[in-house]
Each structure stands twice: as structure tokens, then as C-alpha cells.
Amino acid sequence: QTRSLLGVFEEDAAAISNYINQLFQAMHRIYDAQNELSAATHLTSKLLKEYEKQRFPLGGDDEVMTSTLQQFAKVIDELSSCHAVLSTQLADAMMFPITQFKERDLKEILTLKEVFQIASNDHDAAITRYSRLSKRKENEKIKAEVTEDVYTSRKKQHQTMMHYFCALNTLQYKKKISLLEPLLGYMQAQISFFKMGSENLTEQLEEFLTNIGTSVQNVRREMDCEVENMQQTIEDLEVASDPLYLPDPDPTKFPAHRNLTRKAGYLNARNKTGLVSSSWERQFYFTQGGNLMSQARGDVAGGLVMDIDNCSVMAVDCEDRRYCFQITSFDGKKSSILQAESKKDYEEWICTINNISKQIYLSENPEEIAARVNQSALEAVTPSPSFQQRHESMRPAVQSRPPAARTSSTGSLGSDSTALSALSLDSLVAPDTPIQFDIISPVSEDLPGQAKSSGQTGRRTNPFGESGGSKPETEDSILHQLFIVRFLGSMEVKSDESPDVVYETMRQILAARAIHNVFRMTESHLLVTCDCLKLIDPQTQVTRLRFPLPNVVLYATHQENKRLFGFVLRTSGGRVESHQTSICYIFESNNEGEKICDSVGLAKQIAFHAELDRKASEKQKEIDRVKEKQQKELNKQKQIEKDLEEQSRLIAASSRSNQSSTEGQFVVLSSSQSEDSDLGEDGKKKRESEA
């Protein structure tokens, strides 16, 4: 009977506690509302006083309105003081008693209930041990200990029970006090407030209010005419809003809001149940700072799904679902595929997560900064007419220069946080270049920097150099490595000196893909040789693009996501004639970004050493040619000297034969010698040369 009666008292105490909590919330609401009313009244008075300082474009100086509002400001300021006094009285006379009862008395009941329950359990345990004492083998020491435990636990239970019962009985009186004291304090505070108000409202004020009321009635009659127009407008709006009731409204009529930094709503999450099978689970998702949270139905709070700071978000094409997108963590180790309910939610989720990944939410005006960044990104990926025609016709075309230059976004953003320093779009990327999301035309397209050989067009290439017939151009190359890649996009860049340009291009292309909902990627085989990089069609083995290795001046993989890598190609020509430009190409691989970069580096090293060997060989050949030329000159000089010696011997022999000739000849010779003596030395030389 005691425990049954105790259960009734405890049930009554629980009901009192529940009711007091509700009453406390209601009274606290009154108190908060009174504080807010006092602050709002004071703010209203302050704003009314500042009316004369305002300059409205459609209204001139209205002295009557200004003086009227000044009078209202004075009265409202007095009322604000009264409200402040009322707020203080409510805190002392209403909130303090009920808070004391709630925090002290009700908690005491709960504490005593727990202590009594513990003491009762200890007593039951002691009685159980005492009942198990053996009849045959009595141990006086154990018996004494058990008896002492029974005594101690029974005494403790009795004491706690008496205090608990006393507190329950006292609660029946305290609940009346706790209900009446706050209400009494509330009514006394209100009476005092109304007394102060009646003293401030004089007869002059009543006359003033009467005049103002008449003016208000005149304005009201004018307003009634406008109400009819408003009713018609409401009907029109209801008709116009009818498409919003559909689960997937028309995005052309209701565009997505792309500048959000917070988003909440239901999404379907994809969970793998087997090797190829999967299931979808609908949960409530919301963003909290830089985290993506989820909360299942019935849960008290949400749980962390993923840290979306510096993450990547991309639209994906699922076979069994629409409006799917994938979020990949900054380190590439965790990813989630989610499905939105409509296309509008789908685009807003992608844009919101993309904005959060850039840490725009840490700035003071996140929506303004997000709008500025997204506008810059939209302008950065706005294609020129010829760029669109290239996608439509799939024929070679010369890319025209965009007609309008994009506004630079590198200016100072004031207090827009340090996250904005990484969002400058013109620091590394060319200001008016479009982004190419796909490989336009295999083989036949002449892209900048892709020098094609005379027989390259339409020719199939075996990436392993084993094709018969004609000898491939890379057959003699030392390095042949093949990778499976997917082309994400390319764009022109300003600089090719730092890997930051590759990271910035990756960020812009991923952002542009998210903004424009581009999830199609062309899969190719990337062949790395010592001469060039080739993109080969995996089905037809046709070379889609060829990048000469000497023109690849920079290559890098993403700092966190190792599936992404890119390289910068330095080309001649471009948007400015006779000027070198740099184009950054971004690819996605199967976690082989670092291997590809290492392979490209190895190819460049091999090509560099081969070039050094070639130059050394050419230099040696040049030296050999010089030596051969010198040897020829030396042989020629020796031949000339030999001919001169032969001529000298002939002249000497001729002289000896002349001396043994006839006397007449001697006379002639003497006369000729005399003539030679007359001619002098020059004559002798002339005759010798003639001989």
C-alpha cells in the first residue's frame, strides 16, 4: 500500500513538474517579449527622432510630418521607460519565484527519488545476502558482516524514505505557492505599469491622438481602393505560383539560387549493398558551417556526413536515378552520391556545396561574395559564338576572340576574409578565355600547339608500337606508358611558372562544371612517350590529340585529390597573333595522377638526355667536318708545293740543255741574257713565268 501510494505521489510530482515547465516557458516568453518590447520601443523612438535627417527621393521636406513624429517620439520614449520598469518588475516578482521552484524544489524531489531508489536496491541486496546464510555451516564473521549490512541499508532506506516522503508532502503546498506567487507578481507589475501609463497620457495627448486618428482615417479610405487592386494581384499570384506546387517546377520560370552558403532539405543517399547492387535511403540533410550533416526520421540530432571544406562536387549520371551529384572529400578518400528531389534543388545543392568548399561562409557578406564569384565564373566560361559552333558542327573552326573583356576581379574585397584571396580569377588565368569541356574533334581538329605530321590525319595508332605495315612515329621511343584518363576541360592561362596555375585551373573547371551541370567526360588512353603525349580513342585507336613533349612546360597533380592532374602546354599563336600562349589541360584518372606526372617527368628527362646526346653528336660531327676541311686544305697546299718543285726541276734541266747547244744559240742566249740584264730583275721574273 505504501509503494502504491508512493507511486500516486510520484505521478503527481511528475505532472506538477511537466505543468510547471510549460508555465515557466510561457512566463519566460512573456518576460522575453517584454524585454523585446522595451528595446523595440526605445529603438522606435530613436528612429522617429531621426526622421528629419532622412532624405527620401520621392518626398520633400514635410514639417508637419516631422513635428508630428517628434511628438510621437517623445511619448514613445516615455513609454519605453515604463516598459523597462515593467520588465524589471516581471523579472523580480514573476520569474524569480517560478525559477526557484523549478530549479530548487523540483530538482530536490528528483534527487531524493534517485537516492531512495538506490537505498531501496541496497536494502534488497542486503536482505538477499542475509537470506542466503547457511544453516549448517554458520560463520560468525560473515553473519556479523551481513547483519551489519542489513542494519545499515535498512537504516539508510528508512531515513531517505522519510525525507523523500516529507518532500513529496511539502510539494503539495509548494505547488500552490509556486503558481500563485508569479501570477501575483505579474498582476502587480501590470497594474503599476498601467498607472504609470495613465499619468503620462494627458488630455492634450488625447486631443493630439484624435487629430491624428482623423488623418489616419482619410489615409485608410485611400488604402481601401488599393486593397481591391491587391486582391486582384493576390489572385494573379496564386495562378502564377501554381507550378510551384509540382515536385519538379519548371527551372526556366523558377531559376535556382546559386549564391547560397546554407542549405537544408531531403535527399536520397546511395548505399552500396553488394558488389554491383545499391539502395537509396531518404534522409534530411543540412549544412552547418563547413560540415554536411544528416538526420534520419526520429533522431534527436543530426550526425556528421562529411567535411565539405575544400571538397569537390560534381554532377553524376546514375543509371536508375535523376538529379544525382557526387561529393568528394578534400583528401579524395570519402565520397557520397546524393539525389535531389527536383532540378532546382539539385542545382542549388551543387552551388551551395561549391560555395562552402571555397570557405565563402566565413566572410561577413557570404551571399554577396558568392554572387560575385559565381558571376566571375559564369563570365569565365561564357563561350564565344565560334566555340559553340565547334561543338555543334564538330568541324575544324578558328576560335574567334570574345567580343567583351571580363571585368577583373583581383581588386581588394575589404573585410571579405582571407578565403577570398584564393578566389581571384584573373591572377593566373587569362581574363577572357572560354573553358572547353570536351574534346572537340579527334584528329581533324587543329588545336594550338598540336603540330600534326603529314600522315597523321585519320591514321590508326597502336599505343604499344606493335602495329604492322607503316612504322609508328614512337616505335623507337624508349618510354611507352599508357593510362586511362577522362578529359575534364582546358582553358588558357597567364602563367606557366608555378603549379598554382594548375590548381587554380582545376578549381575553376570543377566549379564551372558544377554551375553548368556538365557531367559528361570523354574517356581516352593517354600514351606517354619521349616525343609527345597522345590522347588515343580506346575503341578505334585513333589519335585524338597530340601534345609535343617540349611544349609541356608544367605538370602537377591535385594536392589532396590524387585522381586529378593537369599540365600546361606552351603554344605559338593564340588570341594574340605572333604571341606565345599557355593552355592548361585538366584530366581525371583512376587514382594515378602522381604516376602520370612521374611518367611525364621521366619522359622529359629521357628526352633531355637524348637532346644532350644529339647536341654532343652534332658538335662532334661539326668538329670532324672542320678537321676534314683543314686536312683537305693541307693536302691541297702540299700538292701546290709539289707542283712548284716539279716546275723548278724542269727549269733547271732546261737550263743545262741550253748550255750544251750550238754557238749561235749561245750568242742568241747571250743576247737574250744581255736583254735580260737590261730588263733587270723584273724582266727575268717575267721570262721565267713565261717559260
Side-chain angles (χ1 to χ4, degrees):
Q1 291 177 354
T2 301
R3 290 190 177 275
S4 176
L5 186 61
L6 177 62
V8 175
F9 271 80
E10 288 178 345
E11 184 178 356
D12 182 74
I16 292 173
S17 177
N18 186 26
Y19 180 77
I20 288 298
N21 286 331
Q22 296 179 6
L23 183 63
F24 173 80
Q25 292 177 359
M27 289 185 174
H28 200 279
R29 216 172 146 186
I30 293 175
Y31 176 66
D32 291 341
Q34 183 59 43
N35 287 335
E36 180 63 24
L37 180 60
S38 176
T41 307
H42 179 70
L43 179 61
T44 303
S45 173
K46 181 180 178 181
L47 290 175
L48 291 177
K49 292 178 181 179
E50 294 178 353
Y51 177 81
E52 60 180 357
K53 300 178 182 179
Q54 304 297 320
R55 295 294 179 265
F56 300 101
L58 299 180
D61 296 335
D62 191 349
E63 296 182 359
V64 176
M65 191 67 179
T66 301
S67 60
T68 302
L69 293 180
Q70 289 293 331
Q71 183 67 21
F72 271 116
K74 181 179 179 182
V75 176
I76 292 175
D77 195 14
E78 295 177 358
L79 289 177
S80 175
S81 302
C82 297
H83 281 295
V85 174
L86 175 60
S87 178
T88 304
Q89 292 178 350
L90 289 178
D92 296 337
M94 182 180 71
M95 295 306 300
F96 181 73
I98 193 170
T99 303
Q100 285 290 100
F101 178 71
K102 177 176 175 293
E103 299 293 335
R104 184 181 62 186
D105 299 330
L106 292 181
K107 283 189 176 181
E108 181 183 5
I109 293 294
L110 294 177
T111 304
L112 289 174
K113 180 180 178 180
E114 294 177 359
V115 174
F116 171 70
Q117 189 64 38
I118 294 172
S120 179
N121 294 336
D122 293 343
H123 177 257
D124 292 342
I127 288 296
T128 301
R129 289 195 300 270
Y130 182 76
S131 300
R132 291 177 179 175
L133 289 175
S134 177
K135 180 180 179 181
R136 297 178 181 180
K137 298 180 181 180
E138 293 187 358
N139 190 333
E140 293 299 331
K141 183 177 180 181
I142 296 177
K143 183 178 180 180
E145 291 178 356
V146 173
T147 304
E148 182 67 21
D149 289 342
V150 172
Y151 172 80
T152 304
S153 61
R154 183 169 291 175
K155 181 178 180 181
K156 181 179 179 181
Q157 180 193 17
H158 189 222
Q159 290 177 349
T160 55
M161 179 180 65
M162 288 188 296
H163 287 292
Y164 182 39
F165 291 173
C166 180
L168 288 175
N169 290 327
T170 308
L171 183 64
Q172 300 301 316
Y173 295 96
K174 288 184 177 180
K175 71 178 181 179
K176 299 177 182 179
I177 298 173
S178 64
L179 291 175
L180 295 178
E181 279 188 349
L183 295 176
L184 182 62
Y186 173 75
M187 295 307 298
Q188 289 177 349
Q190 292 290 349
I191 291 172
S192 175
F193 171 73
F194 287 120
K195 284 183 179 180
M196 287 188 297
S198 63
E199 294 175 358
N200 293 330
L201 299 176
T202 59
E203 295 181 358
Q204 295 179 356
L205 183 59
E206 292 179 359
E207 182 180 357
F208 170 73
L209 295 178
T210 302
N211 295 332
I212 299 301
T214 303
S215 301
V216 170
Q217 291 298 327
N218 295 331
V219 177
R220 187 178 296 276
R221 282 191 292 270
E222 297 178 2
M223 184 185 65
D224 291 337
C225 298
E226 296 293 332
V227 169
E228 296 181 3
N229 298 331
M230 291 297 296
Q231 292 296 332
Q232 184 63 36
T233 304
I234 290 174
E235 294 178 1
D236 297 339
L237 286 175
E238 288 179 353
V239 175
S241 301
D242 186 68
L244 286 176
Y245 307 141
L246 297 173
D248 192 5
D250 188 359
T252 59
K253 298 181 180 179
F254 305 97
H257 190 5
R258 301 180 180 275
N259 306 328
L260 298 174
T261 54
R262 296 178 62 185
K263 179 73 176 171
Y266 281 95
L267 295 172
N268 292 324
R270 183 178 183 180
N271 300 319
K272 287 189 176 181
T273 57
L275 186 61
V276 294
S277 60
S278 61
S279 64
W280 295 84
E281 182 181 2
R282 188 170 185 265
Q283 287 188 352
F284 184 81
Y285 284 79
F286 60 95
T287 61
Q288 191 174 48
N291 298 323
L292 179 64
M293 315 288 289
S294 69
Q295 184 172 352
R297 185 170 295 178
D299 289 350
V300 179
L304 177 65
V305 177
M306 188 185 302
D307 181 8
I308 53 180
D309 276 339
N310 298 319
C311 75
S312 61
V313 58
M314 183 183 299
V316 294
D317 189 11
C318 293
E319 297 178 356
D320 55 341
R321 297 283 177 133
R322 302 180 302 166
Y323 310 137
C324 297
F325 58 95
Q326 180 176 355
I327 308 172
T328 306
S329 61
F330 67 94
D331 54 2
K333 296 181 179 179
K334 188 175 183 181
S335 63
S336 297
I337 296 180
L338 304 172
Q339 179 200 18
E341 294 182 352
S342 64
K343 186 174 182 180
K344 180 175 180 293
D345 284 344
Y346 159 77
E347 294 179 357
E348 287 184 352
W349 272 107
I350 290 178
C351 294
T352 302
I353 294 175
N354 187 48
N355 292 336
I356 294 176
S357 69
K358 302 172 185 174
Q359 299 182 350
I360 297 178
Y361 66 93
L362 297 175
S363 57
E364 295 182 359
N365 300 316
E367 288 198 8
E368 179 182 351
I369 297 171
R372 191 182 309 167
V373 172
N374 289 331
Q375 181 64 28
S376 300
L378 282 172
E379 294 175 358
V381 299
T382 301
S384 62
S386 62
F387 188 79
Q388 295 174 352
Q389 292 170 4
R390 291 168 70 179
H391 279 278
E392 293 171 0
S393 63
M394 297 295 286
R395 294 191 300 269
V398 179
Q399 181 177 339
S400 63
R401 186 172 182 178
R406 179 161 55 90
T407 305
S408 174
S409 60
T410 57
S412 175
L413 299 178
S415 59
D416 291 346
S417 82
T418 57
L420 254 284
S421 62
L423 301 177
S424 59
L425 301 177
D426 292 338
S427 59
L428 299 172
V429 179
D432 54 351
T433 178
I435 292 179
Q436 182 173 313
F437 292 116
D438 199 0
I439 298 175
I440 302 302
S441 174
V443 180
S444 61
E445 185 79 28
D446 244 339
L447 293 179
Q450 298 169 3
K452 297 188 296 184
S453 61
S454 60
Q456 183 180 350
T457 303
R459 181 172 59 84
R460 295 178 180 269
T461 303
N462 189 335
F464 298 100
E466 299 173 355
S467 60
S470 61
K471 184 179 179 180
E473 61 179 345
T474 59
E475 185 176 356
D476 296 333
S477 179
I478 301 176
L479 181 67
H480 285 82
Q481 289 191 354
L482 195 69
F483 303 93
I484 298 176
V485 297
R486 290 169 292 280
F487 181 68
L488 292 178
S490 63
M491 63 188 301
E492 186 176 335
V493 295
K494 284 184 176 180
S495 173
D496 52 15
E497 299 177 355
S498 171
D500 293 337
V501 67
V502 180
Y503 306 148
E504 176 66 18
T505 306
M506 289 178 181
R507 189 190 65 77
Q508 288 206 30
I509 289 178
L510 290 178
R513 278 182 167 267
I515 291 172
H516 291 273
N517 300 325
V518 179
F519 52 83
R520 180 175 177 268
M521 293 183 289
T522 302
E523 185 170 294
S524 304
H525 288 169
L526 178 65
L527 178 63
V528 181
T529 68
C530 299
D531 300 324
C532 62
L533 306 181
K534 283 188 178 182
L535 283 181
I536 302 173
D537 191 326
Q539 296 179 355
T540 64
Q541 297 300 313
V542 173
T543 300
R544 287 174 170 165
L545 296 177
R546 182 180 183 276
F547 308 99
L549 193 62
N551 293 351
V552 179
V553 295
L554 181 65
Y555 48 91
T557 184
H558 196 276
Q559 292 171 318
E560 290 86 12
N561 189 356
K562 302 304 180 184
R563 295 180 298 109
L564 299 178
F565 76 96
F567 58 83
V568 178
L569 191 74
R570 184 178 296 170
T571 65
S572 59
R575 295 179 301 160
V576 180
E577 295 298 332
S578 66
H579 178 68
Q580 282 194 343
T581 59
S582 299
I583 300 177
C584 185
Y585 293 84
I586 304 301
F587 297 87
E588 181 189 43
S589 65
N590 300 327
N591 294 322
E592 293 182 338
E594 290 184 345
K595 294 182 181 179
I596 296 175
C597 290
D598 294 341
S599 178
V600 175
L602 179 60
K604 290 187 74 66
Q605 288 182 3
I606 294 174
F608 175 71
H609 290 297
E611 181 67 18
L612 290 180
D613 294 340
R614 186 186 63 81
K615 290 182 177 180
S617 176
E618 290 181 355
K619 188 175 181 180
Q620 185 63 35
K621 288 181 180 179
E622 183 68 23
I623 293 174
D624 293 340
R625 285 196 297 268
V626 171
K627 288 183 178 179
E628 184 179 357
K629 186 176 180 181
Q630 290 177 353
Q631 186 65 31
K632 288 181 179 180
E633 292 291 336
L634 183 60
N635 293 336
K636 187 176 180 181
Q637 185 68 26
K638 288 181 178 179
Q639 185 65 32
I640 293 173
E641 292 179 355
K642 187 177 181 180
D643 293 342
L644 291 176
E645 290 178 358
E646 186 66 26
Q647 290 179 4
S648 299
R649 285 195 299 270
L650 291 174
I651 292 171
S654 177
S655 298
R656 286 194 298 272
S657 63
N658 288 337
Q659 289 177 2
S660 60
S661 60
T662 59
E663 185 176 358
Q665 291 176 345
F666 177 79
V667 175
V668 174
L669 181 59
S670 299
S671 62
S672 64
Q673 288 177 353
S674 62
E675 290 175 1
D676 290 341
S677 62
D678 296 335
L679 291 174
E681 192 68 27
D682 293 335
K684 291 180 181 180
K685 290 183 179 179
K686 184 176 180 182
R687 285 186 177 274
E688 289 176 359
S689 64
E690 289 176 353

